[in-house]
Amino acid sequence: MSLQNINWYPGHMKKTRELITSNLKLVDIVIEVIDARIPVSSRNPVIDELTAGKQRIIILNKSDLADGNETKRWMEKLGTDGIKVMTLDSMHGVGIKELLNLMTKIQDDINKDRVRKKNLRLMIVGVPNVGKSSLINRLTGKKSAKTGDKPGVTKGKQWLTLSNGMQLLDTPGILWPKFEDESVGIKLAFCGSIKDEILDLETLALRLIELLQDEYPKLLANRYKLDEISDEGLVNMDNIALNRGFILSKGRIDYSRCAKTVLDEFRSAQIGRITLERAE
């Protein structure tokens, strides 16, 4: 599947980059939210460039969907140069208390020598669909940000007040103009950071099956009851569709339904807790 013709950088992405640049001087720290299943592909290198010199917290979000052992390795790898790294499940609120405690400590450190104390001001950034809006709603204690399974729900800049009085600048998700490595785009598509409507889901699901067979063969076989697979020893869409009963009239295989099922079950960790990128 070729991703070359997909418009990765629509107009609002350009505006978001300008928004971050123009407002960075107003905040004390930057919280970057990434997907724990793809810690490389969901990190936008543009954000590194734009936020240079600011205190950073990296959130490995959706950690409940990721391989726990790999997440520990990623925490060690990313936690360099004074960057704080935390795991989070913002959908269920796991890790929010620890994040608030860390933010309070940073605020206290900043105010240590100030006569007039100030509330911490922070910016949350990240590519679409990594869970920024769910995190913001947890921090504010209300539904301040729109959430959804589809990328690109947040539309513009918002200053929000957290339950502890801190000020948070929300920004829309930001992708980068192009991918040097096409596999980055593929992995973002696997995890739902790119709209399914513009992708060939059958080919995408096939690529995911191939990857999982290499990296997590037991989880794949267990989920789809693939004790006896193809003669070539490979899992394919036919195996899965037949076992699930995805059959159309005259015995034709419903590849569309099968593809959607595999992608949905990967994204919801029904296949298992999976990390697609290794820390080493």
Side-chain angles (χ1 to χ4, degrees):
M1 178 176 62
S2 175
L3 302 179
Q4 293 177 350
N5 297 325
I6 294 176
N7 178 16
W8 297 113
Y9 204 57
H12 80 272
M13 299 295 186
K14 181 175 183 293
K15 291 178 182 177
T16 301
R17 179 176 178 138
E18 295 169 351
L19 185 68
I20 291 173
T21 302
S22 62
N23 288 280
L24 195 61
K25 61 181 178 296
L26 303 177
V27 302
D28 302 300
I29 65 170
V30 174
I31 296 178
E32 180 185 4
V33 185
I34 63 178
D35 190 322
R37 297 168 296 178
I38 47 171
V40 175
S41 296
S42 63
R43 285 199 75 198
N44 186 341
V46 171
I47 292 176
D48 274 339
E49 170 196 332
L50 296 181
T51 60
K54 284 289 179 180
Q55 282 200 65
R56 299 271 294 283
I57 299 174
I58 293 177
I59 300 293
L60 284 160
N61 198 27
K62 306 189 180 184
S63 58
D64 58 312
L65 308 178
D67 183 327
N69 291 328
E70 283 302 316
T71 298
K72 290 177 183 176
R73 295 187 184 102
W74 276 112
M75 289 183 70
E76 293 176 2
K77 184 165 185 173
L78 295 172
T80 59
D81 300 324
I83 296 175
K84 304 287 193 301
V85 184
M86 301 188 68
T87 61
L88 206 66
D89 169 12
S90 60
M91 187 64 69
H92 301 99
V94 178
I96 295 295
K97 182 178 179 180
E98 291 79 3
L99 176 58
L100 286 169
N101 289 340
L102 175 58
M103 289 161 53
T104 299
K105 182 180 183 305
I106 292 172
Q107 177 177 265
D108 291 343
D109 289 343
I110 291 174
N111 282 328
K112 184 170 58 177
D113 298 322
R114 286 178 174 171
V115 175
R116 185 178 179 183
K117 310 300 182 183
K118 293 183 179 180
N119 288 326
L120 190 72
R121 303 188 91 183
L122 53 137
M123 178 189 292
I124 292 185
V125 297
V127 303
N129 209 38
V130 291
K132 286 169 57 262
S133 296
S134 296
L135 171 57
I136 290 166
N137 291 338
R138 290 285 178 181
L139 291 176
T140 57
K142 56 187 178 182
K143 289 194 174 181
S144 304
K146 296 178 182 178
T147 61
D149 293 331
K150 295 185 177 181
V153 174
T154 305
K155 299 300 183 183
K157 179 179 76 172
Q158 305 179 77
W159 277 106
L160 305 171
T161 301
L162 275 56
S163 54
N164 58 9
M166 294 178 185
Q167 296 292 307
L168 183 154
L169 176 62
D170 182 27
T171 61
I174 177 173
L175 285 172
W176 47 99
K178 64 179 180 179
F179 298 117
E180 299 296 333
D181 182 353
E182 187 182 65
S183 69
V184 170
I186 293 287
K187 289 170 187 172
L188 285 165
F190 287 156
C191 294
S193 289
I194 297 163
K195 293 179 180 179
D196 283 344
E197 290 84 353
I198 65 174
L199 299 168
D200 174 357
L201 292 189
E202 291 179 21
T203 304
L204 185 67
L206 186 58
R207 293 278 290 270
L208 177 60
I209 290 167
E210 291 170 352
L211 192 155
L212 295 182
Q213 182 167 271
D214 288 339
E215 301 292 340
Y216 293 91
K218 289 184 179 179
L219 292 181
L220 188 66
N222 289 341
R223 179 63 187 172
Y224 298 109
K225 298 179 174 59
L226 300 172
D227 297 325
E228 296 182 8
I229 54 179
S230 67
D231 294 337
E232 296 81 13
L234 299 175
V235 178
N236 57 42
M237 295 269 276
D238 291 19
N239 305 139
I240 294 173
L242 289 171
N243 282 0
R244 281 294 180 90
F246 297 154
I247 308 299
L248 299 169
S249 61
K250 298 182 180 179
R252 293 175 297 123
I253 291 176
D254 191 344
Y255 289 111
S256 177
R257 184 181 176 192
C258 185
K260 188 175 186 307
T261 296
V262 170
L263 290 167
D264 286 348
E265 293 187 351
F266 162 71
R267 292 168 183 172
S268 61
Q270 292 181 68
I271 296 175
R273 293 180 62 175
I274 290 167
T275 299
L276 300 180
E277 294 172 333
R278 304 292 186 182
E280 63 268 16

